[in-house]
Amino acid sequence: MAFKCTKNRSHKNIVREIEATGGNAGASASREQMAYNYDTLKAYVPVAVELLVDCIRNPIFLDYEIEEQLAKLRCETVEAAAKDPQQFLLESLHVVGYSGALGNPLMASEAALERLDGSLIRKFYFENYTADRIVLAAFGVDHERLLTLSEPLFYDLNGGSPVDVPNSTYTGGDFRQKVDAERTHVALAFEFSGGWRHDKDATTLTVLQTLMGGGGSFSAGGPGKGMHSRLYLRVLNKYQQVHSFSAFSSIYNDSGLFGIFLTTGSDFVAKAVDAAVSELLVIATPGQVTDLELSRAKNATKSAVLMNLESRAIVSEDIGRQILTYGCRKPVGHFLKCLDEITLDDLTILAQKMLSSPLTMACLGDVDTVPSYESVSRNFRAPN
């Protein structure tokens, strides 16, 4: 419902104003934060700030606009598993792996969509869109100028009632959805305790994910991209039956998930799961990762971070998210220093800590051929 009708503008007028400035607007939602973005030329910053604030402060949630969005969401929900199996499995990992807030799905069920109406959306809006929970962040704009433009638009916005952050408890679990498909998709995950607030561990996890790497059976970024990562060298190059095999992470303020996604035919899925178990256990075993691998992973992580920060849209969003999480924006040098200080022992200790948490497992496809949760989980509890 972002950038729909407000008290001052129709949706059509909003679109026309954005187009007139050569702008690009969008909104995104995660489990802990929402972001409204407006990219435009510097000359149009006053227009952009005013329009952005209007859309955040004055939405009216017209019934027909809500119905249009609900109809789109119903179609997306039905097609979710087929269109993006990895995203579907990631959602499933959260739903079965957590009890509490982080277990709430981002992809609403059909039953939940049936209950949604204007009154519920307005209730959510008034509870969450309050002065103490909003950050206005910008890049390429002088700070004093941004204050001059925004203070008249925000001065009367009230703070909300104190809200306790809802608890999330990681439990582990198993999700399986059988569908008639050519390939079977599996995800194995463990808890990353501490989340973004433990920034050194979060940086270590990012390096660990880069080190493990992986991807599709043919490097999607062109020949050679990612080919030096462990999962490429040790799994994808070894087993032609594996269509994709990659490490992933999903991090929040105080917790997160880390694991491996894999896609293969049903006749090879048991061996592919064994390979995933083996790769996760190996990184938790001292002496199994070399200094050369760690150095390469550090350099690749630095490169990815610095190239992302060349995007003004990414920088402005990063500023906002860091202020919401840390209360300030930590300089890039802080994270690069954390990255430089990471040792092989740090990787091993973090991997051991994660693998000591309960397993969360999600499967989509011919799930009868996927090893049982108990048998896979037992491999991680076995003595070294």
Side-chain angles (χ1 to χ4, degrees):
M1 294 298 297
F3 302 102
K4 299 297 181 184
C5 289
T6 72
K7 294 174 184 176
N8 304 310
R9 292 174 169 90
S10 68
H11 173 59
K12 183 184 289 186
N13 285 341
I14 290 171
V15 172
R16 283 177 174 170
E17 285 190 46
I18 293 171
E19 289 178 343
T21 64
N24 182 41
S28 61
S30 64
R31 281 177 162 76
E32 292 183 321
Q33 299 167 353
M34 296 179 71
Y36 289 61
N37 304 295
Y38 193 139
D39 302 325
T40 190
L41 299 171
K42 189 173 289 190
Y44 296 111
V45 166
V47 176
V49 171
E50 193 277 326
L51 188 147
L52 188 62
V53 174
D54 185 33
C55 290
I56 290 169
R57 291 207 58 182
N58 303 307
I60 53 178
F61 304 117
L62 296 175
D63 288 340
Y64 79 88
E65 288 187 327
I66 292 172
E67 282 304 317
E68 285 177 358
Q69 297 309 308
L70 287 174
K72 291 179 182 178
L73 283 171
R74 290 187 188 102
C75 293
E76 290 175 8
T77 301
V78 170
E79 299 169 356
K83 289 181 71 173
D84 193 344
Q86 284 198 0
Q87 186 61 35
F88 178 80
L89 287 185
L90 183 61
E91 282 296 297
S92 304
L93 290 172
H94 284 82
V95 172
V96 300
Y98 286 98
S99 65
L102 290 177
N104 293 330
L106 273 180
M107 295 191 303
S109 66
E110 199 165 332
L113 293 176
E114 290 300 324
R115 294 194 300 271
L116 266 180
D117 57 22
S119 62
L120 279 174
I121 293 172
R122 289 183 192 96
K123 180 176 184 294
F124 176 88
Y125 169 80
F126 286 114
E127 287 176 351
N128 290 281
Y129 286 52
T130 57
D132 52 320
R133 300 169 72 111
I134 294 175
V135 174
L136 176 65
F139 185 78
V141 182
D142 178 74
H143 183 69
E144 291 303 319
R145 185 177 185 224
L146 185 64
L147 286 178
T148 302
L149 292 171
S150 59
E151 282 183 336
L153 304 172
F154 277 121
Y155 79 95
D156 60 339
L157 180 62
N158 296 321
S161 302
V163 178
D164 293 329
V165 177
N167 292 325
S168 299
T169 303
Y170 179 78
T171 59
D174 188 29
F175 171 87
R176 295 175 184 238
Q177 180 160 321
K178 188 170 186 176
V179 296
D180 185 13
E182 184 180 336
R183 297 173 182 175
T184 298
H185 310 270
V186 182
L188 307 180
F190 296 87
E191 184 187 21
F192 168 59
S193 180
W196 288 121
R197 296 196 203 279
H198 289 204
D199 51 2
K200 181 176 180 182
D201 282 352
T203 306
T204 303
L205 181 66
T206 305
V207 172
L208 181 59
Q209 182 181 342
T210 303
L211 182 140
M212 295 189 73
S217 53
F218 179 78
S219 180
K225 184 180 179 184
M227 293 297 189
H228 288 292
S229 68
R230 288 179 69 89
L231 298 187
Y232 252 112
L233 294 172
R234 296 164 60 93
V235 179
L236 286 158
N237 288 351
K238 185 176 180 182
Y239 303 112
Q240 64 181 17
Q241 301 95 327
V242 177
H243 298 282
S244 66
F245 202 94
S246 59
F248 73 91
S249 63
S250 185
I251 309 176
Y252 304 98
N253 284 346
D254 299 300
S255 183
L257 295 174
F258 175 78
I260 289 178
F261 282 128
L262 65 92
T263 301
T264 185
S266 58
D267 57 339
F268 195 75
V269 70
K271 287 187 177 180
V273 169
D274 286 344
V277 170
S278 175
E279 291 306 314
L280 288 166
L281 289 171
V282 164
I283 60 165
T285 305
Q288 294 299 306
V289 177
T290 67
D291 287 318
L292 177 62
E293 288 177 303
L294 175 59
S295 177
R296 182 181 287 131
K298 284 183 177 183
N299 288 334
T301 304
K302 283 183 185 177
S303 175
V305 168
L306 295 174
M307 283 192 288
N308 277 334
L309 293 178
E310 290 181 4
S311 163
R312 295 187 174 195
I314 290 176
V315 172
S316 59
E317 188 167 331
D318 178 62
I319 293 169
R321 292 187 185 279
Q322 283 202 46
I323 290 173
L324 287 172
T325 299
Y326 302 122
C328 64
R329 192 202 183 199
K330 298 186 180 184
V332 177
H334 169 79
F335 294 100
L336 295 181
K337 184 173 182 290
C338 286
L339 198 153
D340 284 331
E341 292 173 350
I342 293 169
T343 66
L344 290 173
D345 286 343
D346 292 330
L347 291 184
T348 304
I349 291 168
L350 179 63
Q352 290 173 345
K353 182 181 177 183
M354 291 189 293
L355 297 190
S356 68
S357 69
L359 169 69
T360 304
M361 193 168 171
C363 319
L364 175 70
D366 186 2
V367 298
D368 295 336
T369 61
V370 180
S372 70
Y373 175 84
E374 291 74 17
S375 66
V376 178
S377 185
R378 198 179 305 123
N379 289 323
F380 294 101
R381 295 196 300 267
N384 292 332

